[in-house]
Amino acid sequence: MGMTRRSLPWRVIILTIIVIVIGLVVYFSFQNAFDLFRNFRVTINNESDYDIVSVKTGLEKGDHSKNNIEDGSLYILQRDVPSGKKVKFAPQLNLSGEGAIYLEFTDNQGKTQNHTVCGYTEYLSGNSYVTITNDKVSVVEECM
């Protein structure tokens, strides 16, 4: 006896579902590895009691000078980061050669802080995660 015409579509549907599930498992397993090759992104998690009212990212050259003269070496985030909120953004920067990326932010009390969010980069790719509390700022770098 051979296959009936009715059983063939069900086998195709089941096989398609299995392939999709395997693809999703592979994608989510390697998602962090793929993130390293995307454009550089910063995630700010504001756990402090204060709103962040100004955020800038820029490039540092090898001598740790902030080089804001060249086009594309400074990016200003056009929104606030309210207390208790998280913001993710991709600063539009242009790097020739190598350098580092800094983040400067000011809270609604007027206190300004400056932190390196990527200590070394040639490709402006990867992620940095910045957590701001009342007591400290912690940075996790995953950049290239």
Side-chain angles (χ1 to χ4, degrees):
M1 300 241 154
M3 275 196 254
T4 64
R5 295 182 114 194
R6 289 183 161 195
S7 67
L8 186 59
W10 284 107
R11 288 183 181 196
V12 171
I13 291 170
I14 290 172
L15 183 60
T16 302
I17 291 171
I18 290 171
V19 168
I20 290 171
V21 168
I22 290 172
L24 288 172
V25 167
V26 168
Y27 172 76
F28 286 115
S29 297
F30 293 101
Q31 185 175 9
N32 287 341
F34 294 135
D35 276 352
L36 286 175
F37 299 102
R38 287 185 177 172
N39 287 339
F40 181 72
R41 290 174 295 175
V42 177
T43 302
I44 299 175
N45 185 11
N46 184 4
E47 296 178 356
S48 75
D49 293 332
Y50 309 105
D51 294 346
I52 305 300
V53 295
S54 171
V55 177
K56 300 175 187 177
T57 53
L59 298 174
E60 286 183 8
K61 295 299 182 181
D63 60 358
H64 300 294
S65 65
K66 312 271 187 289
N67 187 356
N68 297 329
I69 297 166
E70 297 176 19
D71 283 343
S73 64
L74 179 66
Y75 177 81
I76 299 172
L77 183 65
Q78 298 296 318
R79 60 186 280 199
D80 295 348
V81 184
S83 174
K85 298 294 182 183
K86 188 183 287 190
V87 170
K88 187 177 202 176
F89 65 99
Q92 303 302 306
L93 300 169
N94 294 317
L95 177 67
S96 58
E98 58 190 45
I101 303 171
Y102 70 90
L103 175 79
E104 180 181 294
F105 63 90
T106 304
D107 65 24
N108 60 0
Q109 302 296 302
K111 182 179 178 185
T112 299
Q113 294 188 52
N114 191 311
H115 297 274
T116 300
V117 292
C118 180
Y120 178 82
T121 185
E122 291 181 47
Y123 305 106
L124 292 175
S125 62
N127 300 290
S128 285
Y129 304 94
V130 180
T131 302
I132 302 168
T133 65
N134 291 338
D135 302 322
K136 66 178 183 166
V137 175
S138 61
V139 177
V140 176
E141 298 179 30
E142 296 175 353
C143 56
M144 296 177 59

